[in-house]
Amino acid sequence: MKHSPIIFFVLAILFIGCKEDVLPKPKAMLRLEYPAATYVQTNLDCPYVFDQNTLSEMKENKDCSLEVDYPMMHGSIYLTYKPVHGNLDTLLIDAQKLSYEHVVKADNIIEQPFINQDHGVYGMFYEVSGNAASQSQFYVTDSIQHFVTGSLYFYAKPNYDSILPAAMYLQNDIRRIMESIRWE
């Protein structure tokens, strides 16, 4: 068969010529979008109330400490209430110390003071960036009777890039809690 080397050559060119170049896929970013937040005022048997996102579920613990759970985002905001009995300095030091315990894993911690003189609410919001256990911390007080601290935690190993969209959404909710808190 005289044509077999020619057929072999044509088939070899077809197989080699049809091969596509292998290119690495570009890195993709997962786009997480959450519904717009709607809020209702909490109805607690506690010395404070605030606006709660309707996407969250409230779990009330003893001493007016709360867990505001966000099942869709696998995270919670933990609120702890303490009455002030001449121990405001100690409560402030403890709240600040709790926030800075994350400095080991955090890339940065940004402090944002909060003042609402009309309703007697003063505090600090800590935005934590990096692979820290908590992405946000805060405290609010009236400086006389009430002190509330809050922390945001996710139910996953901290990976800042992965949880950033949920962390930003929940940081907005924390700011709303701080802005809407009223002492009873």
Side-chain angles (χ1 to χ4, degrees):
M1 295 203 120
K2 294 181 181 182
H3 298 294
S4 54
I6 294 173
I7 293 174
F8 177 73
F9 180 70
V10 170
L11 288 175
I13 289 177
L14 284 175
F15 283 120
I16 293 171
C18 293
K19 187 177 181 181
E20 293 183 25
D21 291 336
V22 177
L23 298 174
K25 292 184 179 183
K27 288 187 176 184
M29 298 296 284
L30 180 62
R31 184 176 174 134
L32 298 174
E33 292 185 15
Y34 301 107
T38 55
Y39 298 93
V40 295
Q41 190 175 64
T42 57
N43 183 14
L44 305 169
D45 189 24
C46 291
Y48 66 101
V49 295
F50 59 90
D51 291 349
Q52 174 189 356
N53 188 328
T54 56
L55 292 176
S56 67
E57 299 170 1
M58 184 83 66
K59 296 175 186 171
E60 194 170 346
N61 300 320
K62 62 181 179 177
D63 302 330
C64 290
S65 294
L66 307 170
E67 180 182 344
V68 185
D69 190 45
Y70 294 80
M72 178 194 321
M73 295 173 213
H74 304 288
S76 289
I77 300 170
Y78 293 91
L79 303 174
T80 303
Y81 174 80
K82 301 275 186 189
V84 176
H85 297 296
N87 60 343
L88 182 60
D89 288 342
T90 302
L91 293 170
L92 287 168
I93 289 168
D94 288 347
Q96 292 166 357
K97 189 169 107 177
L98 177 66
S99 297
Y100 280 96
E101 284 178 357
H102 299 284
V103 79
V104 174
K105 292 282 188 175
D107 293 335
N108 193 20
I109 297 178
I110 300 170
E111 294 180 355
Q112 300 168 6
F114 177 78
I115 299 171
N116 183 338
Q117 288 183 346
D118 294 339
H119 296 284
V121 181
Y122 309 93
M124 186 72 72
F125 176 79
Y126 298 93
E127 182 178 341
V128 182
S129 59
N131 292 332
S134 176
Q135 299 303 308
S136 301
Q137 306 271 325
F138 74 95
Y139 67 85
V140 288
T141 183
D142 66 352
S143 302
I144 302 166
Q145 294 180 309
H146 309 288
F147 196 88
V148 174
T149 58
S151 302
L152 168 62
Y153 288 95
F154 289 95
Y155 309 133
K157 183 179 177 186
N159 183 343
Y160 187 65
D161 292 339
S162 297
I163 63 172
L164 184 61
M168 297 301 288
Y169 184 92
L170 295 180
Q171 286 174 358
N172 289 333
D173 272 13
I174 289 172
R175 287 185 179 93
R176 180 66 179 249
I177 290 169
M178 293 175 74
E179 293 167 358
S180 65
I181 201 163
R182 301 293 178 262
W183 310 115
E184 297 281 305

